[in-house]
Amino acid sequence: MAEVTFPFSALVGQDEVKLALLLNAVDPRIGGVLLRGQKGSGKTTLARGLAALLGERVPFVELPVGTTEDRLAGSLDLRTMLAQGQERLRPGLLHAAHGGVLYVDEVNLLPDHLVDLLLDVAASGVNRVEREGVSHVHDSRFVLVGSMNPEEGELRPQLLDRFGLCVEVTADTGPEARAEAVARRLAFDADAAVFAGGWAREEEALRRRLAAARPAGLAPPLLRAVASACAAAGAEGLRADIVTSRAAAALAGWEGREEATPADVGRVLPLALAHRGRRSPFEAHGVDASALEEAERALQASAPGDEGAARGEGAPREESAARGESGRGEEGAAREEGPPVNGGSGPGGAVAEPAPSEAVVPVAASRGRQEGREQGRPALGRRTAVTGPRGRLVRDRAAGAGGDVNALALGATARAAVARREKDPAGPALAAEDLREAVREHRTGNLVVLTVDASGSMGAPRRMEAAKGAAVSLLLDAYQRRDRVALVTFRGEGAEVVLRPTGSVEVARARLAALPTGGRTPLAAGIESALRLARKAGSPDRPPLLVLLSDGRATSGPEGVDPLDAAMSQADAVRRQGVSAVVVDAEDGPARLGLARRLAGAMGARYLTLPELSAGAVVGAVRDAFV
């Protein structure tokens, strides 16, 4: 019995999300949709509801976060290999998704090696399998639909730009709408078939409308208006222009008009620019309101019939966008037409690849002096590849003594068995000597535990602003490398973990908005708390780095113990437990005690001094330690 899906038309509200999904059904060349939102906001329900509308002939493939590279790209067909001795590809999810929709729930949590593979195929429209002795190439063009909760981590910029449209999915705050949504869900859970039957007429109307819809025409003056609007919004490259143009044409076609208008462009422009307006992860998601207003003014000024459009202003962008419309635009932004999503009888178009509270400190920052770089410490701040039980299969090797293997390389084992049986047909189907162990490789990150002295000894607000600026930039680096970051502050009588290890810049930005300061300096408590966190959350795959920003003064500690002695004791514990560390000396003024240098020595840490205490100087010094 076929599984009954919650009807697309029965979902309460979410009009923008529904529109974005339907536009991609009208013209898959728009490049897919990214659905961002909190848990329980209906992202997955909407995506699955779209699949039911598209029908059985259009593939709708779900890519689980826990899938393997074999399942995604394809692997050796072991049955054929063992039975016939022939090497044949067993197609994966990328083959199944060709000509349809590939849906990735929690796309931001997808492992790096799978993201890399998905990016390669999305950019080229071709899946190339070269592994385990198998060499195979097949087309793989699909509409990419992803959902994510930004609190669980951000999406890699390369993959983010591949989505044509982006929509924020939020639960309705009105009590009536929420009550109606709950009532419908309860009715569906009670009897899915009966509930779906009650919405059959609305669903069939949507199916018929989708089958009849075709992208409308785009007049050259309107393309110039689109180009002007995207340029005014600061969109980089031409992908925004192409996506906006296609989405506007799809909207006009969806509403039964033969030619798109500036009003259509205005409706889809926020969806196309929402994920292309950020300059760093610490800026709020979505295009800036002022930038969007500027884009809308440019659109109005260059709309068809306007004097500016008649003069041909913005023609170079428009010409490139027009070339992209025919599949010949910016490299990677548009592709030649692929198979229709409906097998030729439904929606038209071809499937192509989908296309802070403080400012972030500039990269070009002054560097300070550093001491204490120890030999034998791991390279910090770099993502290195290590072998282990997970990740991309890079090779195989003979099994260890007794045939013990951590992970079996099935293809290599099957080939070894076939080769042995060719020499000894009477031998067993599989012998211990045939076993081959899989060697997999994955990238490591870092766990950066930023430990900040927030006590009164930090002095003027300038010092704390420098610390907060450094924290933002360290988190920015961590975001780019997919590391994890934690933040510990200490003041008064103790230390506080204000940000537990996370890769979510959304959470980090909120936590950094306000850091209370003042009081005494419990330096020992700060180091102890940071070390405990580093040891608990760190791992061989994610080695910890403790970064301490302090002037080294300690005015509070355990009862009966000198505060500075207690701090030195905790610093020595960092060294003894082998945790890499950096001490950034925040001391300034004419009278310097040099306590931070002593602290770094006891910690076995890199000691960094600064020509001036500013956010840029702190960032430059810490980044210099990463080289």
Side-chain angles (χ1 to χ4, degrees):
M1 182 177 178
E3 181 181 358
V4 180
T5 302
F6 193 91
F8 186 86
S9 54
L11 205 78
V12 177
Q14 308 293 4
D15 293 338
E16 289 294 286
V17 184
K18 292 178 181 177
L19 178 63
L21 291 169
L22 290 170
L23 294 183
N24 274 271
V26 173
D27 186 359
R29 294 173 300 170
I30 289 172
V33 187
L34 175 63
L35 309 178
R36 291 171 46 99
Q38 299 172 342
K39 299 181 289 290
S41 52
K43 303 183 295 295
T44 304
T45 301
L46 281 165
R48 290 174 177 164
L50 175 67
L53 284 180
L54 295 177
E56 295 182 359
R57 285 178 297 176
V58 178
F60 183 89
V61 177
E62 295 191 48
L63 174 59
V65 171
T67 196
T68 63
E69 187 178 6
D70 289 345
R71 185 71 185 99
L72 179 60
S75 61
L76 187 68
D77 189 329
L78 294 180
R79 183 187 299 272
T80 303
M81 182 71 178
L82 292 173
Q84 306 174 17
Q86 298 179 357
E87 295 183 353
R88 184 178 300 172
L89 180 75
R90 182 181 181 183
L93 296 177
L94 291 174
H95 182 276
H98 179 55
V101 177
L102 181 62
Y103 174 62
V104 188
D105 193 12
E106 297 181 317
V107 62
N108 51 323
L109 303 183
L110 201 64
D112 278 350
H113 69 286
L114 297 185
V115 172
D116 291 337
L117 175 59
L118 190 60
L119 281 173
D120 289 342
V121 177
S124 65
V126 175
N127 180 33
R128 294 178 174 85
V129 183
E130 300 283 351
R131 54 201 302 267
E132 293 190 296
V134 177
S135 180
H136 184 81
V137 178
H138 66 80
D139 289 338
S140 182
R141 291 187 172 89
F142 45 79
V143 174
L144 190 59
V145 179
S147 65
M148 61 174 285
N149 177 5
E151 293 183 356
E152 297 173 343
E154 272 295 348
L155 193 61
R156 285 176 60 181
Q158 300 97 318
L159 187 57
L160 181 65
D161 190 54
R162 288 292 171 191
F163 288 99
L165 306 177
C166 179
V167 191
E168 288 287 340
V169 187
T170 56
D172 201 309
T173 57
E176 292 185 3
R178 293 174 71 94
E180 178 62 22
V182 171
R184 293 183 185 182
R185 185 70 221 189
L186 293 176
F188 177 80
D189 292 342
D191 195 325
V194 171
F195 181 83
W199 289 87
R201 180 176 300 178
E202 289 82 352
E203 293 288 282
E204 182 60 27
L206 280 178
R207 289 191 187 95
R208 292 179 180 275
R209 188 175 173 185
L210 274 176
R214 295 293 185 274
L218 290 163
L222 185 63
L223 289 178
R224 283 193 289 270
V226 170
S228 297
C230 292
E236 298 177 353
L238 293 177
R239 197 183 301 275
D241 305 55
I242 296 170
V243 168
T244 303
S245 299
R246 286 176 170 160
L251 176 59
W254 172 247
E255 295 184 345
R257 289 177 277 108
E258 295 184 354
E259 187 166 306
T261 67
D264 298 320
V265 175
R267 286 181 62 185
V268 302
L269 196 59
L271 305 180
L273 296 178
H275 53 311
R276 296 186 169 93
R278 302 175 74 186
R279 292 296 179 267
S280 81
F282 284 92
E283 296 172 7
H285 178 79
V287 64
D288 182 73
S290 60
L292 185 58
E293 291 175 1
E294 185 67 26
E296 292 173 346
R297 284 194 294 268
L299 174 64
Q300 295 171 2
S302 301
D306 182 81
E307 181 181 356
R311 290 196 303 266
E313 294 174 0
R317 266 181 95 89
E318 171 269 320
E319 291 171 2
S320 296
R323 290 196 300 271
E325 185 66 17
S326 63
R328 305 294 185 187
E330 181 189 23
E331 182 179 358
R335 298 283 168 182
E336 296 182 4
E337 294 190 355
V341 296
N342 61 347
S345 62
V351 174
E353 82 291 347
S357 55
E358 295 91 9
V360 176
V361 179
V363 174
S366 57
R367 296 181 175 180
R369 293 178 55 246
Q370 58 175 308
E371 301 175 5
R373 184 186 295 270
E374 295 187 6
Q375 299 296 324
R377 292 272 180 127
L380 300 176
R382 295 182 178 179
R383 290 172 53 79
T384 56
V386 299
T387 57
R390 59 186 176 86
R392 186 189 301 273
L393 179 65
V394 293
R395 64 182 186 277
D396 60 79
R397 60 192 176 198
D404 294 335
V405 294
N406 293 321
L408 189 65
L410 298 178
T413 298
R415 285 197 304 275
V418 169
R420 178 184 50 77
R421 292 179 65 187
E422 288 179 352
K423 298 178 181 179
D424 181 17
L430 187 66
E433 62 192 81
D434 302 329
L435 299 181
R436 304 289 298 178
E437 184 176 17
V439 179
R440 298 185 180 275
E441 187 177 86
H442 64 278
R443 297 173 183 172
T444 63
N446 294 298
L447 168 63
V448 180
V449 181
L450 183 64
T451 311
V452 181
D453 183 350
S455 68
S457 69
M458 289 294 286
R462 178 176 61 88
R463 289 188 170 185
M464 181 48 71
E465 287 305 311
K468 292 170 69 174
V472 168
S473 292
L474 285 173
L475 287 165
L476 173 60
D477 280 349
Y479 166 79
Q480 293 170 338
R481 292 191 303 270
R482 306 293 283 180
D483 293 341
R484 293 291 182 267
V485 170
L487 178 63
V488 176
T489 62
F490 53 95
R491 58 185 289 269
E493 299 301 323
E496 179 185 7
V497 179
V498 297
L499 179 67
R500 297 205 166 272
T502 181
S504 171
V505 294
E506 300 281 345
V507 173
R509 185 180 63 240
R511 296 294 178 85
L512 286 175
L515 292 178
T517 61
R520 297 198 293 173
T521 309
L523 182 55
I527 299 174
E528 180 183 17
S529 179
L531 177 60
R532 187 187 310 116
L533 184 61
R535 294 288 296 173
K536 181 178 180 180
S539 69
D541 287 348
R542 200 179 299 279
L545 169 65
L546 194 157
V547 180
L548 175 64
L549 180 59
S550 173
D551 58 11
R553 292 182 172 90
T555 60
S556 177
E559 186 176 355
V561 180
D562 180 76
L564 184 57
D565 290 343
M568 292 298 174
S569 177
Q570 290 298 328
D572 183 65
V574 173
R575 178 187 57 78
R576 286 187 284 105
Q577 296 189 37
V579 175
S580 298
V582 174
V583 174
V584 180
D585 193 345
E587 187 176 35
D588 63 358
R592 295 175 179 259
L593 301 179
L595 296 176
R597 183 192 296 272
R598 289 178 53 192
L599 199 66
M603 196 179 289
R606 299 175 183 176
Y607 170 71
L608 306 177
T609 60
L610 305 173
E612 62 172 329
L613 187 59
S614 65
V618 172
V619 170
V622 175
R623 285 181 178 164
D624 190 58
F626 284 163
V627 176

